Amino acid sequence: MLQINYDREEILSVIDKVTRKTLAMDLTWDWPCGVAYYGVSRAYQTIGNKEYLEMLVQWADEYIELGLPDWTVNTCAMGHMLITLYEETGNQKYWDIVMSKVDYIRSNALRFGDNVLQHTVSVSNDFPEQAWADTLFMAAFFLLRVGSKLNDQEMIQDALNQYYWHIKYLQDPSSGFWYHGYNNIKQDHMSGLYWGRANAWGAYTMSQVKPLLKDWYLYPQCMDVECSLRDQLAALKLVQTENGLWRTVLDDEESYEEVSASCGIAAAMINNGNPLHTKYVQKALKGILDNISEDGRVLGVSGGTAVMKDREGYRNIPKDWIQGWGQGLALAFLSDMLK
């Protein structure tokens, strides 16, 4: 077990500030809000502040009345919040939307190869036969949550299949790092760079598999998840900066430190529970807290990032603005500190 030193009251105060700032953002029904409100849901589950839940319900009800967008891999990220709303309110309309997202993923989402989900950001065929690490959070992790809740073995197997193939396509077995994306048509990793937030998507979602599956050891793919995460975290600890953070290109010293990736990676270390990672999480905690403003903005978060053409593309993504995914991953990390 990790032994992290922290001031509980300070963490609770920071969670409250970040949550309230997040709920004040004009986020729409898409993946930035999906990640942000996943974090708010985690904050609610950790603190139990009913005001957070009431604000989520108010936002969701207003958006549902106005009309929801078409489903894509990215818009399925909103399903995380809806699971929480259904569990806490019992309102069937939230679960109906959850299941409509599941139906999209299972029946209508674009796939390639061995039923691997193609990453989609719109109703168009955005990135033909491309697997992105982002898909694990937006769709596979969501599908696993629903499948485990329903004890639906076909759904669980489909979700674990996504984990398995994303590991095979995206993790470099030599370094342990993850690439951002894989192009099945060209059989390459495009820019071939180890993007920080891609590693956070991979590490964080893999760290959630065991807690979701009681008999995880009975699923062969879970052995791949366990070993993949072990090797990835062993590599990631070696490229943590002196400030306790990880860079937007992990092994590029000229790339800036990126806080959303750092939150996801540090949270994965907490959830994985290896005592040898204690000092890295401790260091990350300081680095992350140093990048949260008094008004609850998570600083140093890179903008939405496609698989860029080269190193300069990643280095030049702006990091001057508040982003939903930065808020959400910070809340997930801070909530995991207190669990």
Side-chain angles (χ1 to χ4, degrees):
M1 181 177 295
L2 286 80
Q3 300 291 331
I4 310 300
N5 296 315
Y6 60 88
D7 182 332
R8 182 177 177 83
E9 292 305 314
E10 178 190 16
I11 300 298
L12 288 171
S13 174
V14 174
I15 288 175
D16 186 66
K17 288 190 293 188
V18 175
T19 297
R20 293 183 185 281
K21 187 64 178 180
T22 305
L23 289 167
M25 298 172 69
D26 280 337
L27 295 168
T28 59
W29 197 285
D30 205 344
W31 75 274
C33 189
V35 183
Y37 285 4
Y38 169 80
V40 172
S41 298
R42 291 284 293 109
Y44 164 70
Q45 291 163 342
T46 301
I47 295 177
N49 188 331
K50 291 289 186 182
E51 190 178 355
Y52 301 167
L53 180 66
E54 290 166 2
M55 294 174 75
L56 287 177
V57 167
Q58 181 180 0
W59 181 91
D61 287 352
E62 181 177 359
Y63 221 108
I64 291 168
E65 185 176 344
L66 289 169
L68 301 180
D70 293 323
W71 298 156
T72 65
V73 161
N74 272 354
T75 56
C76 283
M78 293 300 302
H80 289 292
M81 173 200 68
L82 292 167
I83 294 172
T84 300
L85 294 190
Y86 173 70
E87 290 175 342
E88 294 298 321
T89 69
N91 194 322
Q92 186 64 34
K93 69 179 179 183
Y94 301 130
W95 191 250
D96 289 342
I97 299 173
V98 166
M99 293 310 295
S100 74
K101 291 177 182 288
V102 168
D103 181 66
Y104 161 77
I105 294 171
R106 304 278 330 268
S107 304
N108 299 310
L110 294 172
R111 298 189 181 221
F112 66 92
D114 290 88
N115 283 318
V116 182
L117 286 167
Q118 174 181 308
H119 192 76
T120 53
V121 302
S122 75
V123 294
S124 302
N125 186 6
D126 306 293
F127 305 103
E129 295 195 29
Q130 289 187 20
W132 291 18
D134 313 48
T135 299
L136 285 180
F137 186 95
M138 314 307 165
F141 173 34
F142 163 65
L143 194 63
L144 187 62
R145 289 185 69 190
V146 178
S148 63
K149 184 176 178 66
L150 297 176
N151 195 26
D152 185 318
Q153 293 304 310
E154 287 189 8
M155 202 181 299
I156 290 171
Q157 289 293 342
D158 190 8
L160 291 178
N161 185 60
Q162 303 309 316
Y163 279 88
Y164 175 84
W165 281 107
H166 280 75
I167 290 168
K168 296 300 181 185
Y169 286 144
L170 298 178
Q171 188 168 29
D172 174 26
S174 177
S175 68
F177 298 141
W178 279 46
Y179 298 103
H180 187 172
Y182 172 78
N183 187 321
N184 190 54
I185 296 173
K186 295 184 177 180
Q187 303 276 298
D188 65 17
H189 295 103
M190 293 170 276
S191 59
L193 297 172
Y194 305 128
W195 183 44
R197 196 156 60 238
N199 280 264
W201 296 135
Y204 183 78
T205 55
M206 287 194 294
S207 77
Q208 298 296 315
V209 172
K210 280 187 182 182
L212 283 171
L213 295 176
K214 180 180 178 183
D215 297 327
W216 66 272
Y217 45 82
L218 297 178
Y219 299 91
Q221 300 101 318
C222 288
M223 311 301 173
D224 291 286
V225 170
E226 181 182 38
C227 294
S228 172
L229 182 58
R230 177 200 65 199
D231 291 354
Q232 185 190 24
L233 294 181
L236 286 169
K237 72 181 187 184
L238 301 178
V239 290
Q240 186 181 33
T241 70
E242 286 302 310
N243 294 321
L245 302 174
W246 282 268
R247 299 184 184 281
T248 198
V249 177
L250 293 175
D251 57 348
D252 176 20
E253 292 189 357
E254 294 184 31
S255 289
Y256 57 75
E257 295 170 329
E258 207 282 329
V259 178
S260 71
S262 302
C263 290
I265 291 167
M269 287 182 170
I270 293 172
N271 295 328
N272 196 48
N274 187 333
L276 295 175
H277 292 154
T278 296
K279 61 184 177 182
Y280 304 101
V281 175
Q282 189 75 63
K283 199 172 178 181
L285 175 60
K286 182 181 185 307
I288 291 164
L289 290 177
D290 286 346
N291 280 279
I292 296 177
S293 70
E294 281 301 313
D295 66 340
R297 289 173 293 123
V298 181
L299 309 175
V301 175
S302 62
T305 307
V307 181
M308 305 304 287
K309 293 181 179 179
D310 52 32
R311 195 175 302 270
E312 286 302 314
Y314 287 99
R315 287 175 178 171
N316 291 317
I317 297 290
K319 59 179 179 69
D320 299 326
W321 305 95
I322 182 174
Q323 304 288 2
W325 50 91
Q327 302 293 111
L329 286 170
L331 288 171
F333 166 68
L334 294 170
S335 298
D336 286 342
M337 286 291 302
L338 299 181
K339 69 179 182 181

